[in-house]
């Protein structure tokens, strides 16, 4: 079975030069400090090296590992710098401080600044630095703080610009879609008012002609020809009505509708939202497509309510006889059992039951999981 993957969340990127440089600014000073370190300084060097590993490859979860590791690196490398003033450990402390200021918010920025200032004051006090040297070193955290604030501001402006462009593109697409729908509605009215009415009148006239031929004792061949013409008119009328219905509906593929819902969830929460489509997507019956889309919509609403900012994985499997949909949120823990099914899940179950499908929902190992199976009815026209 072919697999098509649509990823709407962030993917793990390969290590780049900046990652190695950021980690090297911590690890290299520690390695250089080893020969001159006394026995009781070895634990500080070891702790610094261990806590610097997340800076090379930030873990996806839990999120607190990287900032906590950087705080420890600042503390341990600052202590080493105070105890070994001729070493390069200050490079590790200041580079980690700047990275923490640039990547995180006010609380961690304040913590990094306070820790750096404490180390500088201790250095100046213990080693009797003159006031000019002390002020020069104290200016480093201030400069880094300004640079980090400027970097965060620039990143925020870029994000706002991208968001504005995305909204403008969405508005343009919605405008084009509305124009297309208006044109389709106009064509549907024309087909209904002209073609469908004409075919309906033709079918009625042919029926009257057939009755008159039967009454007057016409030949069977003539009656058969009129009956055939009446059937063609009736079939044409049915096809015209189907065409009108198709023009008035804006059928969106199920996989696209689900991807749009996940994109909205990601923009609202900032969490990861992935869609995996297996098999060959195809146009489904309106009832089947509506059930699948409403199931994803209800599941995302429940996730927003009960597990804010939880990652979501959705799998849509197309097989010849059925369509399977699995929605799982990643809360990082096993949620408690629901005392009773809410109206949303109950309505979802009723929709699936009307289609003679199956619905299973409940807590999993790391979040809530919904799995439903419905027959793969395709559109008749």
């Amino acid at each position: 079975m072919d697999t098509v993957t649509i990823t709407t969340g962030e993917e793990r990127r390969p290590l780049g030069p900046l990652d190695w440089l950021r980690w090297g600014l911590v690890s290299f000073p520690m390695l250089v400090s080893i020969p001159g370190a006394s026995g009781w300084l070895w634990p500080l060097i070891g702790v610094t090296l261990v806590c610097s590993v997340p800076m090379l490859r930030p873990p996806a979860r839990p999120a607190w590992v990287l900032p906590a590791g950087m705080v420890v690196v600042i503390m341990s490398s600052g202590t080493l710098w105070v105890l070994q003033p001729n070493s390069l450990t200050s490079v590790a402390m200041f580079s980690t401080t700047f990275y923490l200021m640039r990547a995180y918010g006010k609380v961690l920025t304040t913590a990094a600044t306070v820790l750096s200032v404490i180390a500088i004051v201790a250095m100046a006090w213990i080693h009797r630095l003159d006031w000019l040297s002390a002020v020069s070193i104290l200016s480093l955290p201030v400069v880094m703080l300004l640079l980090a604030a400027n970097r965060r501001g620039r990143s925020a402006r870029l994000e706002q610009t991208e968001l504005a462009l995305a909204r403008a593109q969405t508005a343009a697409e919605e405008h084009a879609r509305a124009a297309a729908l208006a044109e389709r509605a106009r064509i549907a009215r024309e087909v209904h008012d002209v073609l469908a009415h004409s075919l309906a009148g033709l079918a009625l006239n042919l029926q009257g002609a057939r009755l008159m031929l039967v009454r007057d004792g016409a030949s069977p061949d003539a009656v058969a020809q009129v009956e055939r013409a009446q059937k063609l008119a009736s079939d044409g009328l049915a096809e015209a009505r189907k065409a009108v219905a198709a023009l008035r509906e804006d059928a969106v593929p199920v996989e696209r509708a689900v991807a749009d819902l996940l994109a909205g969830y990601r923009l609202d929460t900032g969490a990861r939202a992935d869609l995996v489509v297996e098999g060959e997507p195809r146009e489904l019956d309106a009832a089947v497509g509506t059930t699948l889309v409403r199931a994803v919509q209800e599941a995302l609403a429940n996730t927003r309510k009960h597990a804010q900012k939880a990652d979501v994985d959705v799998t849509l499997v197309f097989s010849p006889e059925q369509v399977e949909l699995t929605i799982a949120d990643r809360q990082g823990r096993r949620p408690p059992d629901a005392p009773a099914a809410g109206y949303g899940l109950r309505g979802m179950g009723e929709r699936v039951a009307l289609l003679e499908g199956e619905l299973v929902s409940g807590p999993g190992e790391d979040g809530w999981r919904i799995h439903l199976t419905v027959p793969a009815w395709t559109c008749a026209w």
Side-chain angles (χ1 to χ4, degrees):
M1 182 181 293
D2 297 334
T3 301
V4 180
T5 303
I6 304 174
T7 303
T8 57
E10 294 184 356
E11 298 180 353
R12 298 299 297 274
R13 60 178 177 80
L15 293 177
L18 290 178
D19 299 312
W20 289 105
L21 176 62
R22 183 171 56 241
W23 182 69
L25 290 175
V26 177
S27 59
F28 179 74
M30 294 300 106
L31 296 176
V32 171
S33 301
I34 290 177
S38 57
W40 59 277
L41 292 180
W42 282 85
L44 286 175
I45 296 176
V47 168
T48 305
L49 289 173
V50 170
C51 292
S52 67
V53 173
M55 299 172 63
L56 182 63
R57 171 67 77 181
R61 198 167 269 98
W64 55 265
V65 170
L66 179 58
M70 288 192 290
V71 169
V72 174
V73 167
I74 295 173
M75 295 173 61
S76 57
S77 59
T79 304
L80 285 169
W81 179 49
V82 173
L83 298 176
Q84 287 184 306
N86 296 326
S87 66
L88 296 176
T89 49
S90 61
V91 175
M93 183 189 73
F94 287 123
S95 63
T96 307
T97 300
F98 178 70
Y99 180 37
L100 192 63
M101 290 177 175
R102 184 179 62 85
Y104 292 92
K106 295 180 179 179
V107 175
L108 290 175
T109 298
T110 303
T113 305
V114 170
L115 291 175
S116 299
V117 170
I118 290 174
I120 294 171
V121 171
M123 177 70 178
W125 179 265
I126 293 175
H127 298 283
R128 305 298 181 184
L129 297 180
D130 59 274
W131 68 271
L132 183 59
S133 299
V135 171
S136 300
I137 300 175
L138 279 172
S139 64
L140 290 177
V142 177
V143 173
M144 290 189 297
L145 187 61
L146 294 176
L147 291 175
N150 179 69
R151 179 65 180 271
R152 286 200 304 269
R154 187 163 64 93
S155 300
R157 289 191 295 272
L158 289 175
E159 290 178 359
Q160 291 296 328
T161 302
E162 292 176 357
L163 182 59
L165 290 175
R167 288 176 176 172
Q169 183 178 0
T170 302
E173 292 176 355
E174 289 296 329
H175 180 74
R177 182 169 174 266
L181 288 176
E183 180 64 16
R184 290 173 62 173
R186 186 190 66 80
I187 296 173
R189 287 193 302 270
E190 294 295 330
V191 171
H192 180 269
D193 295 342
V194 179
L195 180 59
H197 284 177
S198 299
L199 289 174
L202 178 61
L204 289 175
N205 287 334
L206 289 172
Q207 183 180 7
R210 183 182 65 82
L211 294 175
M212 292 174 62
L213 289 174
V214 172
R215 183 196 63 187
D216 296 340
S219 65
D221 290 339
V223 175
Q225 289 292 337
V226 173
E227 288 178 347
R228 189 175 300 111
Q230 181 185 0
K231 184 178 184 303
L232 289 174
S234 299
D235 292 343
L237 178 60
E239 293 298 326
R241 287 172 175 170
K242 289 181 180 180
V244 170
L247 286 170
R248 288 192 176 276
E249 292 181 359
D250 187 30
V252 178
V254 172
E255 62 275 11
R256 177 182 168 186
V258 173
D260 290 342
L261 290 175
L262 293 178
Y265 176 83
R266 184 187 62 176
L267 289 175
D268 291 342
T269 64
R272 178 180 59 83
D274 292 344
L275 170 63
V276 175
V277 181
E278 298 181 1
E280 187 65 28
R282 57 188 181 276
E283 188 177 3
L284 301 173
D285 183 82
V288 175
T290 301
T291 298
L292 295 172
V293 174
R294 291 290 181 268
V296 176
Q297 195 173 21
E298 178 63 28
L300 293 178
N302 289 336
T303 301
R304 286 186 175 97
K305 181 179 179 181
H306 301 290
Q308 296 182 1
K309 297 186 178 181
D311 295 339
V312 176
D313 291 316
V314 177
T315 304
L316 189 61
V317 181
F318 289 89
S319 60
E321 301 297 332
Q322 63 186 18
V323 180
E324 297 182 43
L325 176 67
T326 304
I327 310 147
D329 57 33
R330 308 300 183 186
Q331 304 179 20
R333 57 179 177 80
R334 181 180 178 86
D337 295 332
Y343 291 111
L345 285 176
R346 194 178 306 170
M348 189 190 306
E350 292 173 354
R351 287 195 187 96
V352 174
L354 289 175
L355 298 176
E356 299 180 356
E358 297 180 357
L359 172 67
V360 178
S361 64
E365 292 299 327
D366 60 346
W368 197 267
R369 183 178 183 272
I370 296 175
H371 179 80
L372 61 92
T373 304
V374 292
W377 301 339
T378 56
C379 292
W381 43 272

